[in-house]
Amino acid sequence: MKLRLRIWRQSDAESKGKMVSYVIDGVSEDASFLEMLDVLNEELIADGEDPVAFDHDCREGICGACSLVIDGQPHGPQAATTTCQLHMRQYSDGDTIDIEPWRAGAFPVVKDLVVDRSAFDRIIQAGGYISAPTGTAPDAHAVPVPKADADAAFSAAACIGCGACVAACPNGSGMLFMAAKVAHLGLMPQGQPERHTRVLGMVAAHDEAGFGGCTNTGECSAACPKEIGLDVIGRLNKDFRKAAARAA
Amino acid sequence: MAVSGVLMVLFIIAHMAGNLHIFEGREEMNDYAHGLRTFGEPILPHESLLWVLRLGLIASIGAHLWSGIVLSRRAHLARPVKYAHRHKARGESRGAYGVMRWGGITIAAFVVWHLLDLTFRTVNPVKDVPDAYGAVVATFAPERWPVTVFYLLALVALGFHLRHGIWSAVQTIAGPGPVWRRRWQAVALTVAAVVVAGFAIVPLAVSFGLVS
Ligand code: HEM
Ligand code: FES
């Protein structure tokens, strides 16, 4: 199929970018979205032009490296699917596709479609961990966890930290990412010692990074390739109130 | 946002229900208005209930407006470069959040007009304060149809505001699980529809001459 792509091109963090149009022909409907971009880049290189920079790693939907806001939707039109798992059969001949980077002040553009997501690392450093003695792995049933808690923690732990929630949020908030970590660790016995300092630290680091405030629009959860639900946000709010009351 | 919003929602429901006294007739409506002023007398001073409500509302509006400005400012700073391709709403708020800010400002403008009209009577033909019934009938008289249209537009804004606001407040305060969140979304939609219908029926009834 033949497609018109309008892609955000920006040579580095300092320069001003703009949308640039490209026409690509002979795209196979079996190609993944990223393979389609690989083909475009080969053509650009053959023509002596600068290839389009974009993030990717596993290409199997588990690492969280790929991004791209495709026609206004983070990770494109297909629900519960990362860009690397999106396939060109979603499109038809003659379509125009707009491709932009995650847009957030806290995620500055590095080049073209690549943004710097280290603000998420700073949020994790501020509390998204547990302290446990190292050594050989303990037996899986050494610490009993109620099944319902284990399931809820597992769903939250499915977060791959891609940042689609921020890209989708009209407020540019990182609430869903942060809340997924707070819920995941806060539901497990191993996460209890730091439960209060975790939520206070992570929220402070989130606000410090310049993310917006959550107003429960639900766009994050709709865009999440791992379908993390809004209930983790309610959990974070409750944990935050308890921790703040205790700290006061 | 959530606590002040909930207080205003409670006020709005009571206000809407109180307005329906108009269908009982002039005397009953004016008795109700009078009752609001003399509630608790002679043990409590004149208009004490009314002033408690007014102070609560002023505090709520102030807190709500302030939090709204802070959130809007943060949202603005959090996305310095906008998307070229507009994001289509797919989230659970079904796009209602998109009109929260402008809708809130519309509601605020409406409240100012509303106070000048039916509380202070500055822009109302009926200056006699005890005659609440007369003031309502005069303001929504058929020939003053632009007033009615403005009221109805503000109510549409209020409807969307409540549809998102009510479940959003519950989400913020109580953090329900997935099942109860869906239920609260249904409650928010129902309350929004009932409030809009309950308020709208009064100006419509006057405009179409059913109450005069
Ligand atoms: C003074 C006029 C008003 C303004 C400027 C205003 C503005 C706002 C804004 C900006 C928000 C946050 C929107 C968002 O989620 O992005 C909001 C939420 C809300 N508003 Fe208002 N509003 C006003 C009046 C009202 C009234 C009259 C009510 C009650 C009937 C109300 C009830 C709510 C509720 C319950 C929320 C949700 C709270 C939450 O999300 O936790 N608002 N308002
Ligand atoms: S490249 Fe790893 S999730 Fe898409």
Side-chain angles (χ1 to χ4, degrees), chain B residues 140-143 145 148 152 200-212:
Chain B
F140 299 123
E143 64 276 12
W145 61 267
T148 304
L152 295 177
I201 194 170
V202 173
L204 285 175
V206 176
S207 265
F208 287 99
L210 301 175
V211 169
S212 56

Side-chain angles (χ1 to χ4, degrees), chain A residues 41 56 215 241:
Chain A
N41 276 345
H56 60 107
T215 63
R241 267 199 307 276

Side-chain angles (χ1 to χ4, degrees), chain A residues 34 56-66 82-85 160:
Chain A
L34 297 185
H56 60 107
D57 188 19
C58 70
R59 297 210 179 191
E60 55 182 42
I62 55 169
C63 75
C66 62
T82 53
T83 295
C84 60
Q85 292 293 296
I160 52 177

Side-chain angles (χ1 to χ4, degrees), chain B residues 9-204:
Chain B
V9 170
L10 295 178
F11 165 79
I12 290 251
I13 293 171
H15 183 13
M16 185 274 289
N19 286 358
L20 299 178
H21 282 289
I22 194 142
F23 293 107
E24 296 175 356
R26 180 181 299 265
E27 205 160 308
E28 287 78 359
M29 173 81 171
N30 287 349
D31 276 355
Y32 165 69
H34 186 67
L36 281 178
R37 288 169 175 75
T38 56
F39 185 89
E41 279 181 45
I43 297 174
L44 300 175
H46 186 64
E47 293 199 347
S48 22
L49 172 68
L50 220 47
W51 274 105
V52 168
L53 289 177
R54 282 174 186 163
L55 292 177
L57 280 175
I58 291 169
S60 300
I61 292 173
H64 206 74
L65 205 60
W66 181 77
S67 337
I69 291 169
V70 170
L71 280 171
S72 305
R73 233 186 85 80
R74 282 186 58 186
H76 185 74
L77 295 173
R79 180 158 298 135
V81 182
K82 308 281 170 246
Y83 288 111
H85 193 117
R86 235 181 103 90
H87 173 81
K88 198 166 138 279
R90 298 193 293 186
E92 289 180 20
S93 229
R94 296 170 201 291
Y97 65 82
V99 292
M100 289 308 270
R101 282 164 198 156
W102 288 110
I105 292 166
T106 308
I107 298 165
F110 160 80
V111 169
V112 171
W113 165 268
H114 183 59
L115 290 176
L116 293 175
D117 181 13
L118 291 169
T119 303
F120 303 119
R121 305 287 172 84
T122 320
V123 292
N124 191 292
V126 179
K127 306 290 178 199
D128 175 23
V129 170
D131 190 10
Y133 184 93
V136 170
V137 170
T139 204
F140 299 123
E143 64 276 12
R144 278 168 56 107
W145 61 267
V147 173
T148 304
V149 170
F150 177 45
Y151 262 73
L152 295 177
L153 284 179
L155 282 176
V156 172
L158 180 63
F160 280 105
H161 210 86
L162 294 179
R163 193 187 85 187
H164 172 73
I166 291 174
W167 82 262
S168 176
V170 171
Q171 163 82 355
T172 299
I173 296 169
V179 174
W180 276 98
R181 189 173 71 250
R182 299 287 175 181
R183 287 184 189 156
W184 274 107
Q185 285 164 358
V187 168
L189 179 62
T190 311
V191 172
V194 169
V195 164
V196 170
F199 273 122
I201 194 170
V202 173
L204 285 175

